[in-house]
Amino acid sequence: MIRRDLITAALGIVVFAYATAAQPSLPSTFKSQTVASPEGADIFVRSGGSGPVVVLLHGYAETSDSWAPLAAELVKTYTVVVPDLRGIGRSSRPAGGYDKKTQAADISAVVTALGHDRASVVSHDIGIMVAYAYAARYPDKVERLVVMDAPIPGIAPWDDIVRNPALWHFSFNGPDAERLVQGRERIYLDRIWNAFSGDPSKPDEATRAYYAAQYAQPGAMRAGFAQFAAFSQDVEDNKVFQRTKLRMPVLAVGGEKSFGATEAVVMRNAATSVREAVVPRAGHWLMEESPAFTIALIQDFLKDRLPATPQPISSAGESRVTPGEFKFPDLAPGTGTSGVSGIRTVVLKGDPDHAGLYTIMLRIPAHTRIAAHEHMDDRVATVVSGTWYIGYGDSFNSADLKALPAGSFYTEPSHRSHFAETRDEEIIVQITGVGPSSTRYIDPASQPQRGPRKP
């Protein structure tokens, strides 16, 4: 559970000296070296600290220096390993190998060369694609996984996401693109930074100038474009990986003005234990736009070994809970819900992310409307308090709603689309199903907090 008090404390005490106008830089205490990957790349990596190992994988339009705020905090408690991805920063730029399965082997070589075995992995943007391939290819080597604000090729709703015209740069590559951008790297990168930022001033000028110089190096744009050109291969590889869902705990983080809750939607299609978090007011560039809040989320997740949601159940499986004892955590709605902002969930029995019987309790605020959606599992529900308006069909239709006062019973058959709303009062509803559960909106455009604006 992402504890609100911890996040609040972290926001109050973390001071970032590098928040002023200076280029991003990892702590000077970090040691650097180059590791030869068996896949034909030389990977530049910096590391520091002691304790459990955490690997940080950066994204596009940045280098490993983007992790400066997080690395400075984690190094106090962890061994922090920060590589430049193949073709980016100070790593080599081979002709090929930019599919994420191959890059996962690069990361494995780095971790092994530094004398480590198991690690937690924190990732952003293109880095989450490499992190997913790494976790899928070496599942026994990954303790916990954090993915931030990007899709994963081939993992739903990938097909919907790539149709977004804002992601034009996914298809912008090749020799002609290289010639167009040569000498104009800053113009190209500014377009990406500006389009996907919640705050137009972030990244700041010093940061932009630094990364633009990195990507202006010989061969750097070719290698950067190759990350996108490899997506077709990534789709095929990930379809195979997805046959076996990730079992390690996953934290899926989206910027409120970027991927938002969609990040958790993606990961619930690829992993069995997913915790969702949304960074308020932030766009895609979480380390630049909201470092303190994002770092608190990550620190809390890395050290948290408790269940993601409180479960008022004794170790013997016995449970007697009065209405006053229900505790709805102040978190985003969990698995088995519609995902609409404001809904609060408590798990009473089982786990909707895993196989088996589960029961969840939902509290839905007044004046909440939920578009047509479906769940993969067969569910039954009881209205505990308030009046709940439910209808069946592939699109919201007020005329088809039926008022269900407290004590009413209804069903949500497997893959049967339904919609609902509350009116002048909040309602509480109890739902029982057989997991794993999921939620799919009939019209992808109605997905809550949908609108990913950056890979």
Side-chain angles (χ1 to χ4, degrees):
M1 180 177 65
I2 303 170
R3 291 181 292 274
R4 195 180 183 96
D5 56 342
L6 182 146
I7 294 173
T8 303
L11 291 173
I13 64 174
V14 175
V15 178
F16 299 104
Y18 32 76
T20 57
Q23 71 179 46
S25 179
L26 296 184
S28 60
T29 55
F30 276 43
K31 298 178 181 178
S32 62
Q33 67 184 86
T34 299
V35 174
S37 168
E39 298 291 345
D42 295 327
I43 305 299
F44 177 78
V45 57
R46 286 169 287 180
S47 60
S50 61
V53 181
V54 182
V55 178
L56 310 181
L57 300 181
H58 68 88
Y60 184 68
E62 299 181 311
T63 71
S64 58
D65 287 299
S66 64
W67 292 118
L70 179 61
E73 293 303 313
L74 292 185
V75 74
K76 301 172 183 177
T77 312
Y78 299 92
T79 297
V80 185
V81 177
V82 195
D84 278 334
L85 296 179
R86 170 186 294 241
I88 297 178
R90 281 173 272 186
S91 289
S92 67
R93 304 182 183 97
Y98 293 92
D99 62 279
K100 310 313 174 286
K101 181 178 178 180
T102 295
Q103 293 191 70
D106 293 342
I107 303 307
S108 177
V110 166
V111 173
T112 301
L114 269 57
H116 309 306
D117 183 35
R118 290 173 56 80
S120 294
V121 180
V122 179
S123 57
H124 175 242
D125 189 74
I126 289 287
I128 86 163
M129 303 176 189
V130 179
Y132 172 67
Y134 181 71
R137 191 170 180 180
Y138 312 102
D140 59 327
K141 304 300 182 184
V142 179
E143 294 183 343
R144 300 173 83 78
L145 175 64
V146 180
V147 296
M148 300 198 298
D149 215 74
I152 297 178
I155 306 296
W158 171 259
D159 290 342
D160 296 323
I161 290 171
V162 295
R163 294 191 185 102
N164 189 330
L167 304 181
W168 59 269
H169 56 292
F170 277 18
S171 302
F172 186 75
N173 56 72
D176 291 337
E178 293 170 34
R179 288 195 294 271
L180 284 169
V181 173
Q182 186 174 5
R184 305 177 183 89
E185 293 84 4
R186 175 63 188 269
I187 297 172
Y188 164 81
L189 292 169
D190 271 340
R191 176 69 182 85
I192 292 174
W193 290 322
N194 293 341
F196 307 122
S197 174
D199 179 351
S201 68
K202 303 293 177 63
D204 62 26
E205 173 59 30
T207 300
R208 293 178 184 226
Y210 176 70
Y211 289 139
Q214 295 289 308
Y215 279 80
Q217 294 178 21
M221 290 307 306
R222 172 192 60 78
F225 291 154
Q227 298 282 354
F228 301 108
F231 280 176
S232 59
Q233 181 60 53
D234 297 334
V235 167
E236 297 306 313
D237 291 337
N238 291 341
K239 286 180 179 178
V240 176
F241 286 146
Q242 192 182 15
R243 294 173 188 170
T244 304
K245 283 196 170 186
L246 302 181
R247 303 294 297 179
M248 73 287 295
V250 176
L251 173 63
V253 182
E256 181 183 18
K257 297 183 179 180
S258 185
F259 263 74
T262 301
E263 192 64 50
V265 174
V266 173
M267 292 312 300
R268 288 186 181 118
N269 287 320
T272 61
S273 179
V274 179
R275 182 180 304 175
E276 175 182 323
V278 176
V279 180
R281 298 176 296 281
H284 176 70
W285 313 103
L286 299 177
M287 281 295 103
E288 290 80 14
E289 297 184 62
S290 189
F293 190 95
T294 306
I295 288 169
L297 288 175
I298 294 169
Q299 288 182 310
D300 184 52
F301 176 73
L302 291 178
K303 71 180 182 180
D304 185 8
R305 295 297 185 268
L306 299 175
T309 308
Q311 300 187 27
I313 302 172
S314 73
S315 59
E318 299 171 350
S319 179
R320 295 181 295 181
V321 185
T322 67
E325 292 172 324
F326 294 134
K327 302 297 182 183
F328 292 94
D330 190 17
L331 299 173
T335 302
T337 75
S338 60
V340 171
S341 177
I343 293 177
R344 296 293 178 260
T345 315
V346 60
V347 177
L348 300 180
K349 184 175 179 61
D351 184 344
D353 279 316
H354 294 86
L357 186 72
Y358 69 86
T359 298
I360 57 177
M361 188 82 76
L362 281 67
R363 185 178 69 195
I364 300 104
H367 304 295
T368 297
R369 175 167 290 187
I370 302 173
H373 63 285
E374 64 179 20
H375 307 284
M376 66 186 293
D377 58 322
D378 191 25
R379 295 146 48 109
V380 296
T382 300
V383 180
V384 176
S385 67
T387 300
W388 189 215
Y389 296 82
I390 290 284
Y392 298 104
D394 289 342
S395 62
F396 191 98
N397 185 348
S398 297
D400 290 336
L401 292 171
K402 181 174 182 177
L404 300 179
S408 299
F409 168 86
Y410 66 97
T411 63
E412 295 180 359
S414 174
H415 298 294
R416 178 69 168 95
S417 55
H418 52 282
F419 49 89
E421 72 176 12
T422 59
R423 295 186 179 171
D424 292 333
E425 59 183 344
E426 75 168 23
I427 69 108
I428 294 178
V429 61
Q430 179 175 302
I431 298 175
T432 295
V434 179
S437 187
S438 66
T439 300
R440 184 185 75 86
Y441 274 81
I442 306 307
D443 177 5
S446 63
Q447 173 72 44
Q449 299 187 25
R450 182 178 156 72
R453 300 167 52 202
K454 173 68 175 77

